[in-house]
Amino acid sequence: MRRFSAAEKREWGLFALLVSPNLFLLGVFTYWPLIYNGYLSFVRWDLLSPVKIWVGWSNYTYLFTSPDFGAILFNTLFFTLGSVVALCVLGLAVALLLNQKLRWRNSARSVIFSPVMLSGAAIGIVWIYIFDPRYGLLDVLIRLAGMRSPNWLLDPNWAMLAVIIVHVWKNLGYAVVILLAGLQAIPKELYEAAGVDGAGSIARFRAVTLPGLSPVLFFLVLTSILAGFQSFDIVKVMTEGGPIRSTTTLIYALYQEGFVAFNAGRAGVASVLLFGIMLVFTIVQFRYSEKNVHYA
Amino acid sequence: MSNQLSRRQFLWSAGAGVSALALAACVPATLPAAQPDAAPAAEPVTLTVWSSFSGKNGEAETELVKRFNESQSNVVVDYQFQGNYEETAQKVTAALQARTAPEVSLLSDVWWFKFYLSQNLLPLDDLLSAQNIDLADYQDSLINEGVRQGKHYWMPFARSTPLFYYNKEKWAAAGLPDRGPETWDEFVEWAPTLLQKEGDELKVSAFAHPDGASYIAWLFQGVAWQFNGSYSDPDFTMRMTDEATLEAGQFYKDTVHNYGWAVPSKDISSDFINGLTAASMMSTGSMGGIKANATFEFGTAFLPKKYQFGCCTGGAGLAILASTPAEKQEAAMSYIAFVSNPENTTYWAQNTGYMPVRKSALQSEAMQSYFVEFPQFKTATEQLALTRPQDAARVFVPNGDQIIGSALERITVQSDDVAVAFADVNAILETEAQPVLEALRAIEG
């Protein structure tokens, strides 16, 4: 067995000393709640009574057989995928535009980024007024186009779209900043070389920009997916999961079970499920970035 | 000059604050709060009070707290706004776990019972008699709702009832008599004359329904009774699928999807104030805000009848948490007694529209002259005498309000089949009532 030298021991000691405060806080505030939540998913508890009744898998059976479960999963996926696709496509379009040498470019960048810094709850309240079909700003614009506004927040067919629009509007600046950084990291020589080979602008975009952007795009997709699964504030303020559960995502269902219905067990199941889904995406991200830390 | 904060002081205090936070994070949350063995006479008791009122009602409540703090020097109330009824209940729940609960909290009609069941509310009878509080002067129906097994747990404070509000200008324009409809059948005749349309687009509706989160199940409670139906029996037998309850549901659905004069709304009070709906049922507690903001004259009326009259009570009351240390219980009681005394309940009622909770307040000079000046409020207090407590399914089943509300949303927003929606909810209510029945058996026998 290898023996540590005094110097090595000192180094390990220092390492432990430096790491322990953070490790302690992580343990108390992250790992312990995680384990405790797993336990809660097997009990019936109203967050108040002194006893927690062990009910085995019945909270899981309840959730997975609940008539709303399919709809909630669908809502979650629809919200997450819808907003991620919109963020990437719109983000890329705006980033390409802002990467040009335009007047007011810096001001435009600031303006686009500013919603990211606003509170989701405040944004939600403002958008409730914008969406109102009788006097909202959006209605005015839609009428200019000769059409009539849908009843965004009270029609189960439109409410989710409304929530996605607000989520995308709020987070577009983040996507743009990430993609801009990616665009600027692509060496100019590649474009020049492609130009020499006779590539037009579309060919250059496909052969140089997209491949050069792919690691950044991948990072953006994953972080947006993770953020999408956890998005709560806008739904809470704008729709409270309604109308008729049409905007109830997994995290909102978790909140309703836990803090409206006070059913810690069922909320526990929802968060175990959410944790599982997020874990998969996080592992994918780690695996991918291990392989692709450097540009090919 | 010397009083101004220097940069050095600022940095030093910021550093100290951060270190304190870091240290605080390491202190176990269960550490009991330091309690002085014997409080020196000069030191006033600080009482934390949590509540849920904002806007006009919040201002009125702050004024009551100010009056209380100025009226005596033994108790200082630290008043803390906690969000709406649901958010307040959430925070009380969390605070009980963290052992940082307030001494007094406002709890709504659908929440107090949950805290009673988990034995987190203090029975108030000893405190009430020690302070010679005249219980007989409280409105019987209101004070009795907070009684379990002969003990008082929940004192009436911001108690309300649903009320029929109508826009007098729109009534006059439609040539209707200046009163509310006696019956729903009468309103079915009136409503089409109140509509304003541009093409096929509805600009002004005759009536509006809130969503589940805005307590549609509270407003529908009275309607169910008017149709001879109910949500449940007192013994938790669910009645959502009774013929009469279904008929009431069908009527609600028809107002939107058949008659077409009612709409689902995100905020009925703001729709009414902005003239987007000609009438609506709303809480009496909305009256203060409507009075302050409506630019037209509005009238109030009893709820319309169907086969009979039906109207429930609602709103919120005050409770003392069982975790309140003995030396603060008396102070907590004195605050509750103060804000519900005849003079203050009069002030509160006149500024918000909530019911005066004391009989003598109703008879008082101040209230009688207010009735002359503002007869809309008189209607509300007259209706109070005809109200009754809500069905167990809404107020005693955990989340019952939202569960019933989800079915009402399905039939008003989406025109789902009433029998199907109500049957779904009936089954959920039956399941969710079981833990309550078990808990009730355990603590009440």
Side-chain angles (χ1 to χ4, degrees):
Chain A
M1 204 176 140
R2 182 176 171 272
R3 308 196 81 186
F4 288 107
S5 72
E8 273 177 326
K9 271 187 194 157
R10 226 180 13 254
E11 246 177 60
W12 274 107
L14 185 64
F15 169 76
L17 194 69
L18 292 177
V19 153
S20 58
N22 277 345
L23 209 58
F24 174 74
L25 290 177
L26 267 179
V28 170
F29 291 107
T30 305
Y31 299 127
W32 172 241
L34 193 68
I35 294 164
Y36 193 67
N37 178 67
Y39 160 70
L40 283 182
S41 71
F42 292 102
V43 299
R44 192 176 83 205
W45 183 46
D46 64 359
L47 278 79
L48 275 176
S49 78
V51 284
K52 305 180 181 75
I53 302 161
W54 184 265
V55 293
W57 292 97
S58 81
N59 288 325
Y60 286 83
T61 336
Y62 172 87
L63 189 78
F64 292 125
T65 57
S66 139
D68 288 330
F69 181 65
I72 291 170
L73 267 196
F74 175 80
N75 290 341
T76 311
L77 291 178
F78 186 73
F79 174 82
T80 306
L81 293 181
S83 54
V84 169
V85 168
L87 274 175
C88 290
V89 172
L90 282 175
L92 189 57
V94 175
L96 285 170
L97 194 67
L98 292 182
N99 201 30
Q100 311 293 318
K101 287 198 174 64
L102 298 168
R103 283 185 76 184
W104 311 115
R105 184 173 71 168
N106 287 336
S107 321
R109 284 179 186 174
S110 311
V111 169
I112 287 198
F113 189 71
S114 58
V116 177
M117 295 180 295
L118 299 177
S119 122
I123 287 177
I125 292 193
V126 172
W127 275 90
I128 288 177
Y129 290 101
I130 296 179
F131 277 126
D132 194 288
R134 296 159 304 183
Y135 50 77
L137 180 64
L138 207 58
D139 177 55
V140 175
L141 297 177
I142 292 172
R143 268 165 209 273
L144 284 181
M147 285 172 288
R148 205 193 287 166
S149 168
N151 201 346
W152 291 96
L153 300 177
L154 285 170
D155 185 336
N157 298 315
W158 285 92
M160 182 54 97
L161 200 61
V163 171
I164 291 177
I165 289 174
V166 179
H167 180 80
V168 169
W169 181 82
K170 177 174 173 7
N171 292 298
L172 185 64
Y174 167 76
V176 168
V177 165
I178 299 286
L179 290 168
L180 257 181
L183 285 173
Q184 285 165 1
I186 300 175
K188 292 212 170 40
E189 295 77 21
L190 291 178
Y191 286 105
E192 284 161 14
V196 169
D197 290 343
S201 57
I202 293 174
R204 267 184 303 193
F205 177 75
R206 282 182 45 194
V208 182
T209 310
L210 268 189
L213 215 48
S214 65
V216 174
L217 211 52
F218 188 77
F219 169 80
L220 181 66
V221 166
L222 273 163
T223 53
S224 302
I225 287 176
L226 294 179
F229 277 119
Q230 298 177 78
S231 176
F232 173 80
D233 45 2
I234 294 171
V235 170
K236 168 84 175 89
V237 171
M238 288 182 62
T239 62
E240 303 203 54
I244 318 175
R245 294 215 142 207
S246 60
T247 55
T248 301
T249 54
L250 197 52
I251 191 141
Y252 199 77
L254 188 167
Y255 161 76
Q256 281 185 321
E257 285 293 357
F259 298 101
V260 181
F262 287 101
N263 205 315
R266 290 175 197 165
V269 177
S271 50
V272 166
L273 186 65
L274 192 62
F275 174 73
I277 296 173
M278 310 260 285
L279 190 65
V280 170
F281 279 103
T282 311
I283 289 171
V284 170
Q285 187 199 357
F286 269 117
R287 281 283 158 76
Y288 185 88
S289 42
E290 266 168 22
K291 286 187 208 147
N292 296 279
V293 179
H294 305 291
Y295 291 97
Chain B
M1 188 62 201
S2 62
N3 279 334
Q4 192 175 343
L5 184 72
S6 70
R7 270 191 302 187
R8 184 176 302 229
Q9 282 169 327
F10 171 75
L11 288 175
W12 195 89
S13 5
V18 170
S19 326
L21 275 179
L23 281 176
C26 303
V27 176
T30 50
L31 201 69
Q35 285 161 11
D37 295 336
E43 198 69 28
V45 175
T46 302
L47 201 63
T48 308
V49 174
W50 283 7
S51 195
S52 315
F53 296 105
S54 56
K56 187 123 180 39
N57 297 354
E59 286 167 26
E61 194 176 28
T62 318
E63 168 64 21
L64 290 182
V65 171
K66 192 169 142 244
R67 287 182 181 189
F68 177 76
N69 284 338
E70 284 168 359
S71 72
Q72 41 72 49
S73 54
N74 301 327
V75 186
V76 176
V77 163
D78 178 14
Y79 169 84
Q80 297 172 359
F81 172 72
Q82 297 294 344
N84 66 22
Y85 291 158
E86 277 57 45
E87 287 156 352
T88 304
Q90 287 161 17
K91 288 181 190 173
V92 172
T93 305
L96 283 167
Q97 285 300 312
R99 296 178 203 184
T100 55
E103 284 81 39
V104 175
S105 182
L106 185 87
L107 295 171
S108 84
D109 52 352
V110 304
W111 286 113
W112 76 271
F113 187 73
K114 176 185 171 59
F115 294 98
Y116 163 76
L117 269 190
S118 57
Q119 294 173 290
N120 279 300
L121 299 186
L122 196 69
L124 305 176
D125 299 79
D126 292 347
L127 295 167
L128 284 163
S129 54
Q131 299 195 15
N132 288 321
I133 291 161
D134 182 11
L135 284 175
D137 189 41
Y138 282 83
Q139 299 275 358
D140 299 320
S141 59
L142 300 183
I143 188 96
N144 289 337
E145 275 183 64
V147 175
R148 295 299 300 186
Q149 300 205 301
K151 289 190 182 138
H152 294 78
Y153 290 90
W154 189 56
M155 294 292 287
F157 170 59
R159 301 304 310 278
S160 58
T161 74
L163 188 66
F164 189 90
Y165 291 74
Y166 64 97
N167 181 323
K168 290 196 175 196
E169 282 178 17
K170 294 196 195 297
W171 241 240
L176 298 174
D178 185 12
R179 62 174 175 85
E182 294 276 340
T183 62
W184 285 114
D185 297 318
E186 186 173 40
F187 193 60
V188 171
E189 282 169 35
W190 289 4
T193 64
L194 291 162
L195 296 181
Q196 281 172 35
K197 286 187 171 181
E198 259 174 38
D200 61 341
E201 187 185 355
L202 192 60
K203 281 290 184 189
V204 174
S205 63
F207 198 80
H209 301 294
D211 59 15
S214 304
Y215 316 121
I216 190 173
W218 181 59
L219 295 174
F220 184 71
Q221 171 75 81
V223 179
W225 291 340
Q226 291 150 18
F227 280 73
N228 292 334
S230 68
Y231 292 156
S232 68
D233 291 345
D235 67 355
F236 291 81
T237 307
M238 296 305 157
R239 296 279 175 207
M240 293 300 294
T241 50
D242 281 15
E243 209 52 51
T245 314
L246 292 177
E247 190 192 346
Q250 186 61 43
F251 169 69
Y252 243 41
K253 178 180 167 179
D254 285 346
T255 61
V256 181
H257 299 286
N258 182 16
Y259 307 133
W261 43 252
V263 293
S265 161
K266 265 251 22 101
D267 184 343
I268 37 176
S269 143
S270 110
D271 280 7
F272 183 72
I273 289 169
N274 290 308
L276 298 168
T277 183
S280 188
M281 285 195 289
M282 280 177 277
S283 165
T284 60
S286 302
M287 204 184 296
I290 293 172
K291 189 185 174 196
N293 295 311
T295 53
F296 51 84
E297 260 224 76
F298 70 93
T300 59
F302 285 13
L303 302 190
K305 287 178 224 156
K306 179 69 185 179
Y307 305 120
Q308 59 172 339
F309 177 79
C311 183
C312 61
T313 56
L318 293 167
I320 302 179
L321 278 300
S323 53
T324 304
E327 71 273 13
K328 287 192 175 186
Q329 293 178 357
E330 202 180 312
M333 192 69 241
S334 69
Y335 172 75
I336 295 178
F338 181 87
V339 295
S340 61
N341 75 21
E343 186 192 338
N344 288 321
T345 196
T346 302
Y347 172 83
W348 171 247
Q350 292 185 356
N351 279 277
T352 60
Y354 284 100
M355 296 293 99
V357 298
R358 303 289 286 260
K359 293 173 190 162
S360 55
L362 219 46
Q363 312 306 329
S364 70
E365 192 73 22
M367 194 57 89
Q368 291 300 323
S369 57
Y370 185 66
F371 285 158
V372 176
E373 175 198 330
F374 190 53
Q376 289 94 327
F377 188 62
K378 188 172 189 220
T379 318
T381 59
E382 284 167 352
Q383 188 183 242
L384 178 63
L386 307 171
T387 55
R388 55 179 165 124
Q390 302 169 60
D391 292 333
R394 177 172 185 265
V395 286
F396 294 163
V397 173
N399 211 26
D401 169 56
Q402 297 295 309
I403 294 168
I404 300 169
S406 70
L408 294 167
E409 237 182 62
R410 281 173 64 185
I411 62 173
T412 53
V413 172
Q414 197 169 255
S415 112
D416 275 11
D417 188 77
V418 177
V420 174
F422 280 21
D424 286 353
V425 157
N426 204 68
I428 299 174
L429 288 170
E430 276 169 356
T431 316
E432 300 298 303
Q434 289 313 313
V436 178
L437 288 167
E438 282 167 33
L440 268 179
R441 270 195 294 275
I443 65 170
E444 292 187 353

